[in-house]
Amino acid sequence: MVKKINFTDKIFLAGSSGMVGNAVKKSLEKNGYGLKINNGKLLYPSKKELNLLEETSVNNWFKENKPEIVILAAAKVGGIYANSRFPADFLLENLKIQTNVIENSWKANVKRFLFLGSSCIYPKLAPQPLKEEYLLTGPLEKTNEPYAIAKIAGIKLCSALRRQYGFNAISVMPTNLYGPGDNYHEKDSHVMPALIRRIHHAKTTNKSEITCWGTGQPKREFLFVDDLAEACIFILENFSSTNQSTNDKNKIFDELINIGTGSDISIKKLSEIIALELNYKGDIKWDSTKPDGTLRKLLDVSKINNLGWFAKTKLEEGIKATIKCYEKELKNQSLRF
């Protein structure tokens, strides 16, 4: 199969400073893209160079730089606490970022566009595992509804531009991500980095117990961020969106495609694996007065598996690598102060 992107393409990666963007950047370079030796160019402007929230800034940047491939990994993200406290920020900022980048990519007639969404777009009570066609079949989980609505709007904008104008956009929905470069903020982080931070702190300060949010019973699927990056390159290289009828059984990209491992684990079990890796022997208690969020959120990844891509990193292996990066980050911080 002939690859649908070339080493010589000028690739714009929006959000390269984040966990996902940085992983995608490394994967692009590892696979030969954006390298001068291959006559390629990888564009990843800083926030100072390009403010994705400002329409004029994005419009002028596109006119000046003329990218051929665009990957939108930029977004305002956070855990349950951040989503529930700043709903307007999550909705407004993500809508602005997406609209500015998607519209300018379409106007610039880019060859391929990749939009990164989130598994939180699916209805709270949808059957498990979550198939792509379950989108908009029921109400969302309230704790992250603003973020989910913004991501759904991005998917639908890509879909509408594809149907009306033939815009070559693909929307991918990764499951819960973790890995190097994650956010370990005390209140704004997702479940994996939050547990790593809390258990690591308990270990280093000799705490006999810690208390975590919720019951620990909800199940989550976790994908190592480097695996997601490889999946993005795989999709860009091999598959395009189509304008076929939604009734065509062979149509692979109607709206979106899930990316995950196809297996999940309870939050309680996850905490035990992290504690074991950190050699923490204290008690882990659960505060059931705090929200659990969706009780289960497992993606159906049969579509991408049938296309030939599978996640490679086992959970324990990924957790070990993530903890190593976190400890290195802590060491670097201590050296700076």
Side-chain angles (χ1 to χ4, degrees), residues 239-262:
F239 299 98
S240 290
S241 57
T242 94
N243 289 309
Q244 294 173 315
S245 164
T246 55
N247 294 321
D248 189 337
K249 291 187 294 184
N250 296 318
K251 184 178 180 185
I252 335 177
F253 296 111
D254 177 25
E255 296 277 336
L256 58 140
I257 183 167
N258 291 335
I259 303 179
T261 63

PDB file of all heavy atoms in Angstrom, residues 239-262:
ATOM      1  N   PHE A 239      -4.794   5.364   5.912  1.00  0.00           N
ATOM      2  CA  PHE A 239      -6.231   5.434   5.694  1.00  0.00           C
ATOM      3  C   PHE A 239      -6.742   6.855   5.554  1.00  0.00           C
ATOM      4  O   PHE A 239      -6.270   7.770   6.207  1.00  0.00           O
ATOM      5  CB  PHE A 239      -6.966   4.721   6.832  1.00  0.00           C
ATOM      6  CG  PHE A 239      -6.593   3.277   6.917  1.00  0.00           C
ATOM      7  CD1 PHE A 239      -5.633   2.854   7.824  1.00  0.00           C
ATOM      8  CD2 PHE A 239      -7.145   2.350   6.058  1.00  0.00           C
ATOM      9  CE1 PHE A 239      -5.255   1.533   7.874  1.00  0.00           C
ATOM     10  CE2 PHE A 239      -6.770   1.018   6.104  1.00  0.00           C
ATOM     11  CZ  PHE A 239      -5.824   0.609   7.019  1.00  0.00           C
ATOM     12  N   SER A 240      -7.739   7.006   4.687  1.00  0.00           N
ATOM     13  CA  SER A 240      -8.377   8.294   4.446  1.00  0.00           C
ATOM     14  C   SER A 240      -9.844   8.236   4.825  1.00  0.00           C
ATOM     15  O   SER A 240     -10.444   7.156   4.870  1.00  0.00           O
ATOM     16  CB  SER A 240      -8.272   8.677   2.965  1.00  0.00           C
ATOM     17  OG  SER A 240      -6.957   8.991   2.609  1.00  0.00           O
ATOM     18  N   SER A 241     -10.411   9.417   5.066  1.00  0.00           N
ATOM     19  CA  SER A 241     -11.855   9.490   5.242  1.00  0.00           C
ATOM     20  C   SER A 241     -12.504   9.290   3.884  1.00  0.00           C
ATOM     21  O   SER A 241     -11.866   9.389   2.842  1.00  0.00           O
ATOM     22  CB  SER A 241     -12.236  10.858   5.824  1.00  0.00           C
ATOM     23  OG  SER A 241     -11.770  11.880   4.984  1.00  0.00           O
ATOM     24  N   THR A 242     -13.803   8.996   3.879  1.00  0.00           N
ATOM     25  CA  THR A 242     -14.506   8.776   2.624  1.00  0.00           C
ATOM     26  C   THR A 242     -15.802   9.557   2.617  1.00  0.00           C
ATOM     27  O   THR A 242     -16.252  10.046   3.645  1.00  0.00           O
ATOM     28  CB  THR A 242     -14.840   7.281   2.405  1.00  0.00           C
ATOM     29  OG1 THR A 242     -16.149   7.032   2.880  1.00  0.00           O
ATOM     30  CG2 THR A 242     -13.870   6.375   3.086  1.00  0.00           C
ATOM     31  N   ASN A 243     -16.409   9.648   1.480  1.00  0.00           N
ATOM     32  CA  ASN A 243     -17.708  10.322   1.364  1.00  0.00           C
ATOM     33  C   ASN A 243     -18.819   9.324   1.021  1.00  0.00           C
ATOM     34  O   ASN A 243     -19.858   9.690   0.502  1.00  0.00           O
ATOM     35  CB  ASN A 243     -17.644  11.406   0.286  1.00  0.00           C
ATOM     36  CG  ASN A 243     -16.804  12.583   0.730  1.00  0.00           C
ATOM     37  OD1 ASN A 243     -17.016  13.100   1.809  1.00  0.00           O
ATOM     38  ND2 ASN A 243     -15.850  12.993  -0.092  1.00  0.00           N
ATOM     39  N   GLN A 244     -18.586   8.056   1.292  1.00  0.00           N
ATOM     40  CA  GLN A 244     -19.575   7.039   0.974  1.00  0.00           C
ATOM     41  C   GLN A 244     -20.796   7.172   1.867  1.00  0.00           C
ATOM     42  O   GLN A 244     -20.771   7.825   2.907  1.00  0.00           O
ATOM     43  CB  GLN A 244     -18.975   5.645   1.145  1.00  0.00           C
ATOM     44  CG  GLN A 244     -17.857   5.330   0.156  1.00  0.00           C
ATOM     45  CD  GLN A 244     -17.209   4.010   0.491  1.00  0.00           C
ATOM     46  OE1 GLN A 244     -16.912   3.711   1.634  1.00  0.00           O
ATOM     47  NE2 GLN A 244     -17.012   3.190  -0.518  1.00  0.00           N
ATOM     48  N   SER A 245     -21.853   6.517   1.476  1.00  0.00           N
ATOM     49  CA  SER A 245     -23.082   6.522   2.276  1.00  0.00           C
ATOM     50  C   SER A 245     -22.847   5.861   3.614  1.00  0.00           C
ATOM     51  O   SER A 245     -22.102   4.904   3.734  1.00  0.00           O
ATOM     52  CB  SER A 245     -24.184   5.767   1.526  1.00  0.00           C
ATOM     53  OG  SER A 245     -25.241   5.437   2.398  1.00  0.00           O
ATOM     54  N   THR A 246     -23.516   6.363   4.662  1.00  0.00           N
ATOM     55  CA  THR A 246     -23.377   5.771   5.987  1.00  0.00           C
ATOM     56  C   THR A 246     -23.948   4.363   6.039  1.00  0.00           C
ATOM     57  O   THR A 246     -23.702   3.626   6.979  1.00  0.00           O
ATOM     58  CB  THR A 246     -24.090   6.637   7.043  1.00  0.00           C
ATOM     59  OG1 THR A 246     -25.442   6.827   6.648  1.00  0.00           O
ATOM     60  CG2 THR A 246     -23.413   7.980   7.194  1.00  0.00           C
ATOM     61  N   ASN A 247     -24.715   3.971   5.035  1.00  0.00           N
ATOM     62  CA  ASN A 247     -25.279   2.623   5.008  1.00  0.00           C
ATOM     63  C   ASN A 247     -24.314   1.602   4.384  1.00  0.00           C
ATOM     64  O   ASN A 247     -24.596   0.405   4.363  1.00  0.00           O
ATOM     65  CB  ASN A 247     -26.591   2.616   4.222  1.00  0.00           C
ATOM     66  CG  ASN A 247     -27.667   3.429   4.913  1.00  0.00           C
ATOM     67  OD1 ASN A 247     -27.760   3.388   6.133  1.00  0.00           O
ATOM     68  ND2 ASN A 247     -28.453   4.172   4.151  1.00  0.00           N
ATOM     69  N   ASP A 248     -23.201   2.069   3.875  1.00  0.00           N
ATOM     70  CA  ASP A 248     -22.220   1.182   3.246  1.00  0.00           C
ATOM     71  C   ASP A 248     -21.459   0.431   4.335  1.00  0.00           C
ATOM     72  O   ASP A 248     -20.760   1.031   5.154  1.00  0.00           O
ATOM     73  CB  ASP A 248     -21.262   1.999   2.381  1.00  0.00           C
ATOM     74  CG  ASP A 248     -20.350   1.123   1.536  1.00  0.00           C
ATOM     75  OD1 ASP A 248     -20.149  -0.044   1.914  1.00  0.00           O
ATOM     76  OD2 ASP A 248     -19.847   1.613   0.516  1.00  0.00           O
ATOM     77  N   LYS A 249     -21.572  -0.894   4.363  1.00  0.00           N
ATOM     78  CA  LYS A 249     -20.929  -1.691   5.402  1.00  0.00           C
ATOM     79  C   LYS A 249     -19.407  -1.610   5.323  1.00  0.00           C
ATOM     80  O   LYS A 249     -18.709  -1.887   6.293  1.00  0.00           O
ATOM     81  CB  LYS A 249     -21.374  -3.155   5.292  1.00  0.00           C
ATOM     82  CG  LYS A 249     -22.823  -3.391   5.658  1.00  0.00           C
ATOM     83  CD  LYS A 249     -23.160  -4.869   5.698  1.00  0.00           C
ATOM     84  CE  LYS A 249     -23.068  -5.490   4.313  1.00  0.00           C
ATOM     85  NZ  LYS A 249     -23.488  -6.911   4.321  1.00  0.00           N
ATOM     86  N   ASN A 250     -18.865  -1.234   4.177  1.00  0.00           N
ATOM     87  CA  ASN A 250     -17.419  -1.154   4.017  1.00  0.00           C
ATOM     88  C   ASN A 250     -16.852   0.216   4.394  1.00  0.00           C
ATOM     89  O   ASN A 250     -15.655   0.428   4.322  1.00  0.00           O
ATOM     90  CB  ASN A 250     -17.039  -1.469   2.559  1.00  0.00           C
ATOM     91  CG  ASN A 250     -17.390  -2.889   2.191  1.00  0.00           C
ATOM     92  OD1 ASN A 250     -17.184  -3.794   2.973  1.00  0.00           O
ATOM     93  ND2 ASN A 250     -17.943  -3.065   1.002  1.00  0.00           N
ATOM     94  N   LYS A 251     -17.720   1.132   4.776  1.00  0.00           N
ATOM     95  CA  LYS A 251     -17.231   2.459   5.121  1.00  0.00           C
ATOM     96  C   LYS A 251     -16.579   2.439   6.496  1.00  0.00           C
ATOM     97  O   LYS A 251     -17.238   2.173   7.490  1.00  0.00           O
ATOM     98  CB  LYS A 251     -18.360   3.470   5.105  1.00  0.00           C
ATOM     99  CG  LYS A 251     -17.853   4.880   5.369  1.00  0.00           C
ATOM    100  CD  LYS A 251     -18.973   5.867   5.297  1.00  0.00           C
ATOM    101  CE  LYS A 251     -18.407   7.255   5.560  1.00  0.00           C
ATOM    102  NZ  LYS A 251     -19.434   8.258   5.634  1.00  0.00           N
ATOM    103  N   ILE A 252     -15.276   2.715   6.559  1.00  0.00           N
ATOM    104  CA  ILE A 252     -14.566   2.620   7.833  1.00  0.00           C
ATOM    105  C   ILE A 252     -14.641   3.925   8.611  1.00  0.00           C
ATOM    106  O   ILE A 252     -14.733   3.939   9.813  1.00  0.00           O
ATOM    107  CB  ILE A 252     -13.093   2.273   7.638  1.00  0.00           C
ATOM    108  CG1 ILE A 252     -12.832   1.539   6.358  1.00  0.00           C
ATOM    109  CG2 ILE A 252     -12.596   1.427   8.758  1.00  0.00           C
ATOM    110  CD1 ILE A 252     -11.378   1.260   6.118  1.00  0.00           C
ATOM    111  N   PHE A 253     -14.586   5.053   7.923  1.00  0.00           N
ATOM    112  CA  PHE A 253     -14.532   6.333   8.600  1.00  0.00           C
ATOM    113  C   PHE A 253     -15.792   7.152   8.315  1.00  0.00           C
ATOM    114  O   PHE A 253     -15.788   8.006   7.462  1.00  0.00           O
ATOM    115  CB  PHE A 253     -13.307   7.128   8.137  1.00  0.00           C
ATOM    116  CG  PHE A 253     -12.018   6.483   8.503  1.00  0.00           C
ATOM    117  CD1 PHE A 253     -11.203   5.957   7.530  1.00  0.00           C
ATOM    118  CD2 PHE A 253     -11.620   6.394   9.810  1.00  0.00           C
ATOM    119  CE1 PHE A 253     -10.013   5.351   7.860  1.00  0.00           C
ATOM    120  CE2 PHE A 253     -10.432   5.804  10.153  1.00  0.00           C
ATOM    121  CZ  PHE A 253      -9.620   5.285   9.176  1.00  0.00           C
ATOM    122  N   ASP A 254     -16.847   6.868   9.046  1.00  0.00           N
ATOM    123  CA  ASP A 254     -18.038   7.690   8.933  1.00  0.00           C
ATOM    124  C   ASP A 254     -17.860   8.919   9.809  1.00  0.00           C
ATOM    125  O   ASP A 254     -17.946  10.044   9.344  1.00  0.00           O
ATOM    126  CB  ASP A 254     -19.260   6.897   9.352  1.00  0.00           C
ATOM    127  CG  ASP A 254     -20.523   7.738   9.315  1.00  0.00           C
ATOM    128  OD1 ASP A 254     -20.562   8.721   8.563  1.00  0.00           O
ATOM    129  OD2 ASP A 254     -21.451   7.411  10.051  1.00  0.00           O
ATOM    130  N   GLU A 255     -17.592   8.704  11.081  1.00  0.00           N
ATOM    131  CA  GLU A 255     -17.421   9.792  12.030  1.00  0.00           C
ATOM    132  C   GLU A 255     -16.053   9.751  12.694  1.00  0.00           C
ATOM    133  O   GLU A 255     -15.358  10.751  12.748  1.00  0.00           O
ATOM    134  CB  GLU A 255     -18.494   9.698  13.125  1.00  0.00           C
ATOM    135  CG  GLU A 255     -19.897   9.886  12.627  1.00  0.00           C
ATOM    136  CD  GLU A 255     -20.257  11.352  12.515  1.00  0.00           C
ATOM    137  OE1 GLU A 255     -19.643  12.169  13.206  1.00  0.00           O
ATOM    138  OE2 GLU A 255     -21.150  11.670  11.710  1.00  0.00           O
ATOM    139  N   LEU A 256     -15.654   8.613  13.238  1.00  0.00           N
ATOM    140  CA  LEU A 256     -14.478   8.532  14.086  1.00  0.00           C
ATOM    141  C   LEU A 256     -13.978   7.103  14.201  1.00  0.00           C
ATOM    142  O   LEU A 256     -14.628   6.158  13.734  1.00  0.00           O
ATOM    143  CB  LEU A 256     -14.813   9.062  15.476  1.00  0.00           C
ATOM    144  CG  LEU A 256     -15.956   8.366  16.191  1.00  0.00           C
ATOM    145  CD1 LEU A 256     -15.634   8.204  17.665  1.00  0.00           C
ATOM    146  CD2 LEU A 256     -17.239   9.168  16.066  1.00  0.00           C
ATOM    147  N   ILE A 257     -12.815   6.967  14.848  1.00  0.00           N
ATOM    148  CA  ILE A 257     -12.258   5.643  15.077  1.00  0.00           C
ATOM    149  C   ILE A 257     -11.643   5.585  16.471  1.00  0.00           C
ATOM    150  O   ILE A 257     -10.908   6.489  16.885  1.00  0.00           O
ATOM    151  CB  ILE A 257     -11.225   5.275  13.989  1.00  0.00           C
ATOM    152  CG1 ILE A 257     -10.715   3.847  14.205  1.00  0.00           C
ATOM    153  CG2 ILE A 257     -10.085   6.274  13.924  1.00  0.00           C
ATOM    154  CD1 ILE A 257      -9.944   3.315  13.015  1.00  0.00           C
ATOM    155  N   ASN A 258     -11.988   4.552  17.240  1.00  0.00           N
ATOM    156  CA  ASN A 258     -11.483   4.391  18.601  1.00  0.00           C
ATOM    157  C   ASN A 258     -10.045   3.903  18.605  1.00  0.00           C
ATOM    158  O   ASN A 258      -9.645   3.101  17.757  1.00  0.00           O
ATOM    159  CB  ASN A 258     -12.333   3.364  19.366  1.00  0.00           C
ATOM    160  CG  ASN A 258     -13.728   3.857  19.668  1.00  0.00           C
ATOM    161  OD1 ASN A 258     -13.969   5.056  19.737  1.00  0.00           O
ATOM    162  ND2 ASN A 258     -14.651   2.931  19.869  1.00  0.00           N
ATOM    163  N   ILE A 259      -9.285   4.359  19.612  1.00  0.00           N
ATOM    164  CA  ILE A 259      -7.927   3.861  19.818  1.00  0.00           C
ATOM    165  C   ILE A 259      -7.768   3.485  21.282  1.00  0.00           C
ATOM    166  O   ILE A 259      -7.935   4.321  22.173  1.00  0.00           O
ATOM    167  CB  ILE A 259      -6.863   4.906  19.434  1.00  0.00           C
ATOM    168  CG1 ILE A 259      -7.039   5.343  17.987  1.00  0.00           C
ATOM    169  CG2 ILE A 259      -5.460   4.341  19.638  1.00  0.00           C
ATOM    170  CD1 ILE A 259      -6.050   6.396  17.542  1.00  0.00           C
ATOM    171  N   GLY A 260      -7.478   2.215  21.524  1.00  0.00           N
ATOM    172  CA  GLY A 260      -7.308   1.745  22.893  1.00  0.00           C
ATOM    173  C   GLY A 260      -6.686   0.370  22.921  1.00  0.00           C
ATOM    174  O   GLY A 260      -6.146  -0.117  21.924  1.00  0.00           O
ATOM    175  N   THR A 261      -6.782  -0.272  24.083  1.00  0.00           N
ATOM    176  CA  THR A 261      -6.189  -1.599  24.265  1.00  0.00           C
ATOM    177  C   THR A 261      -7.218  -2.716  24.178  1.00  0.00           C
ATOM    178  O   THR A 261      -6.872  -3.871  23.938  1.00  0.00           O
ATOM    179  CB  THR A 261      -5.499  -1.692  25.636  1.00  0.00           C
ATOM    180  OG1 THR A 261      -6.493  -1.537  26.667  1.00  0.00           O
ATOM    181  CG2 THR A 261      -4.441  -0.610  25.791  1.00  0.00           C
ATOM    182  N   GLY A 262      -8.493  -2.375  24.431  1.00  0.00           N
ATOM    183  CA  GLY A 262      -9.538  -3.396  24.420  1.00  0.00           C
ATOM    184  C   GLY A 262      -9.705  -4.117  25.745  1.00  0.00           C
ATOM    185  O   GLY A 262     -10.480  -5.069  25.843  1.00  0.00           O
TER     186      GLY A 262
END
